Amino acid sequence: MMNTTSYSSDAFLIEGGATLKGRVRVSGAKNASLPIIFSTILTKETCVIEDVPDLLDVKNACELIHLLGAEGDRLNGRVLIDPSGIDRYETPESIVKKMRASVLSMGPLLARFGRARVALPGGCSIGARPIDQHLKFFVSAGAQVLVKDGYVNIEVERKKPAEFEFELVTVTGTENALLYLSGVEGRSILKNIALEPEVIDLVEVLRKMGASIEIEGRTAVVEGSEELKGFHHRVIPDRIEAGTLMVASLLTGGEVELENVLPEHLGAVIGKLEEAGARVERLGADRLRVVKVGELKPLEIITEEYPGFPTDMQAQFMVMLSVTEGRSMIYESIFENRFQHVYELKKMGANIEVRGRSAHIEGVRELTGAEVISTDLRASASLVLAGLVARGTTVIRDIHHLDRGYERLEKKLRELGASVERLPSLVS
Ligand code: EPZ
């Protein structure tokens, strides 16, 4: 039997060793685009969203909005949605299984129709990812919530303002609640909310639609409205893509200049890069350059809710620390199983030991190219970084995970001098 390798999807082939140099534009933020696309359910007026990245998740979100009855189009980063025809309140399992962020349709559908029926999102490779906080919020808002046959059925007789405190900080839980309360007349209070820049970008859109939202600390006071308007909004830059490219520059000893980046969204990441010995030069309001000055230093990193160090940058830093002399430690406090990339990095020669939620890294002189498998979005980004800096050739299988969150990354990296190519799937 010939030993044929059949990829379940495209793969990347990377020749390590290039030094990245040049200028790259960071795309709009995926995790801001998704809730903003779902906010259009709250109005009957046309909405225009600019700088939306061309990603699988965005395509799925637009497909869902269309399935619910909206019209619109998506071209060159501009999404135009006419939601006046939305006449369904059900988000089918076929969509949710492709994109768990579809749960964000719950809040706006409940606000528009007084009911919503959304398939339960399963867990994923990084954790069980329950939505108990989302459902507790809706119950606190007076809704009936029934989970049956893999669907969440929510109904509210009469929409009324709510007061709710999250038991833990949840990004999409906060977004679901803000989306719902913006469509409810009266004064509501949300406590212990998430403050990620993507949440604040959604708040900006909800304010443009006519909701009044005041945030102080982790408390939001929302004055919603039944008559929310259409809006025109440019999505914030993707801070995680920016952070990923900054690590790529540092890892390869290059000098990459990033455009369309907001340093104020990357405080914890820039702080850790500078602690490792990098120089981050601000070249303008939304431009910066990362330069390696001397040998990198080992780090201790704990992932936390924003403004702490982002869990979505953990895998990328692990690659950098794998080839940084000395002992480093990363503690993953947000997700219970977000070290899948460790097993793949070890195939490339990394010296990492996982104990519970902490990964102990002993820097090695270099990584060696190997055939590795992507397991989730940010893990796949870390394997790309590892391939860039490894000696020899790296093949990364199941690269579709990367396509969910990075817009044409191989093109951006090639333009910076990397040797990256996409191998079409061997299985038609
Ligand atoms: C958002 O996921 C992001 N996704 C994730 O990005 C990101 O990693 C995560 O926030 C943390 O920053 C989108 O915005 C679409 P959470 P979300 O609810 O909202 C637990 C990427 O790489 N929890 O803040 O699902 C949960 O299990 C993705 O782009 C509950 O227990 O994350 C986790 O341990 C990956 N009950 C923690 O809270 C709940 O009801 C944080 O989850 C909700 C969450």
Side-chain angles (χ1 to χ4, degrees):
M1 173 66 181
M2 199 178 95
N3 172 23
T4 55
T5 308
S6 63
Y7 300 116
S8 62
S9 77
D10 289 359
F12 267 9
L13 186 134
I14 302 179
E15 288 303 331
T19 299
L20 301 191
K21 280 193 187 319
R23 184 179 292 186
V24 62
R25 186 183 186 280
V26 176
S27 300
K30 163 178 90 88
N31 290 348
S33 303
L34 299 177
I36 290 170
I37 288 168
F38 292 126
S39 73
T40 63
I41 298 170
L42 292 167
T43 179
K44 293 184 168 45
E45 296 180 6
T46 297
C47 306
V48 178
I49 315 166
E50 307 272 7
D51 209 11
V52 177
D54 180 15
L55 299 171
L56 224 43
D57 274 6
V58 167
K59 179 174 154 297
N60 288 327
C62 292
E63 191 185 306
L64 170 56
I65 290 288
H66 181 63
L67 210 62
L68 295 172
E71 294 299 326
D73 61 36
R74 182 168 69 92
L75 191 65
N76 302 332
R78 191 170 183 274
V79 172
L80 181 144
I81 295 174
D82 168 6
S84 56
I86 291 181
D87 57 4
R88 299 186 51 183
Y89 54 78
E90 174 162 329
T91 298
E93 195 261 344
S94 57
I95 292 273
V96 175
K97 77 174 180 213
K98 286 193 283 190
M99 186 189 65
R100 54 176 298 109
S102 317
V103 291
L104 287 169
S105 57
M106 269 178 204
L109 286 173
L110 189 67
R112 184 169 180 141
F113 294 110
R115 60 187 308 184
R117 179 170 149 74
V118 178
L120 260 180
C124 74
S125 67
I126 64 178
R129 303 185 73 181
I131 57 166
D132 58 293
Q133 296 298 308
H134 301 233
L135 304 186
K136 283 176 182 169
F137 160 73
F138 288 119
V139 169
S140 84
Q144 301 293 320
V145 175
L146 170 69
V147 178
K148 190 165 176 290
D149 303 331
Y151 274 77
V152 180
N153 303 275
I154 313 178
E155 273 191 65
V156 62
E157 286 303 308
R158 190 176 55 77
K159 291 190 297 185
K160 58 183 177 40
E163 292 212 10
F164 180 73
E165 178 161 359
F166 286 99
E167 293 159 6
L168 54 83
V169 173
T170 156
V171 173
T172 46
T174 300
E175 291 167 343
N176 236 335
L178 287 170
L179 284 160
Y180 174 67
L181 294 175
S182 293
V184 177
E185 297 284 349
R187 186 173 185 274
S188 296
I189 299 177
L190 281 178
K191 291 187 176 172
N192 200 25
I193 65 169
L195 297 170
E196 270 67 2
E198 296 75 30
V199 176
I200 304 306
D201 207 28
L202 172 65
V203 167
E204 291 307 320
V205 165
L206 295 169
R207 284 174 177 152
K208 287 181 181 177
M209 297 179 80
S212 150
I213 303 177
E214 292 309 318
I215 294 178
E216 193 155 319
R218 285 192 184 273
T219 297
V221 177
V222 182
E223 293 275 355
S225 161
E226 289 280 346
E227 303 299 321
L228 291 173
K229 306 189 292 295
F231 62 87
H232 185 190
H233 185 76
R234 171 175 291 277
V235 167
I236 54 170
D238 193 312
R239 62 192 167 100
I240 305 301
E241 183 192 18
T244 305
L245 291 166
M246 289 160 80
V247 171
S249 174
L250 204 50
L251 258 180
T252 60
E255 291 186 16
V256 173
E257 192 177 310
L258 276 68
E259 294 175 336
N260 194 39
V261 53
L262 296 179
E264 59 270 29
H265 290 168
L266 283 153
V269 171
I270 290 174
K272 282 297 174 183
L273 289 176
E274 288 173 337
E275 191 185 326
R279 190 173 67 237
V280 179
E281 298 166 350
R282 285 164 177 68
L283 306 171
D286 68 350
R287 279 173 48 229
L288 60 76
R289 176 172 48 219
V290 185
V291 181
K292 181 174 177 186
V293 278
E295 286 310 305
L296 294 176
K297 301 184 190 72
L299 296 172
E300 296 235 331
I301 292 175
I302 299 175
T303 64
E304 295 172 299
E305 299 84 3
Y306 191 88
F309 187 91
T311 172
D312 292 348
M313 279 301 304
Q314 177 254 105
Q316 297 91 315
F317 268 69
M318 189 177 287
V319 175
M320 186 178 86
L321 297 171
S322 295
V323 289
T324 298
E325 191 177 347
R327 284 169 183 259
S328 296
M329 192 281 289
I330 296 180
Y331 186 84
E332 172 53 67
S333 66
I334 305 292
F335 289 109
E336 71 270 22
N337 190 35
R338 202 172 197 172
F339 284 142
Q340 304 286 308
H341 42 285
V342 168
Y343 313 105
E344 301 306 311
L345 293 175
K346 290 173 82 152
K347 288 182 193 169
M348 300 176 73
N351 181 350
I352 306 168
E353 190 189 338
V354 171
R355 289 185 222 128
R357 286 199 175 218
S358 55
H360 298 269
I361 304 141
E362 183 75 48
V364 294
R365 203 170 51 76
E366 66 176 4
L367 297 177
T368 313
E371 182 175 323
V372 290
I373 302 173
S374 299
T375 51
D376 62 85
L377 170 53
R378 305 304 169 181
S380 47
S382 73
L383 295 175
V384 172
L385 295 178
L388 291 177
V389 76
R391 181 167 46 78
T393 308
T394 299
V395 174
I396 306 173
R397 294 171 52 184
D398 292 352
I399 208 65
H400 60 86
H401 290 288
L402 191 79
D403 298 333
R404 285 194 40 227
Y406 289 88
E407 188 178 32
R408 286 185 286 282
L409 186 62
E410 72 267 28
K411 182 171 176 297
K412 290 179 178 173
L413 291 173
R414 262 206 302 274
E415 283 167 4
L416 292 171
S419 161
V420 183
E421 64 173 293
R422 184 182 286 262
L423 300 177
S425 165
L426 292 185
V427 179
S428 60

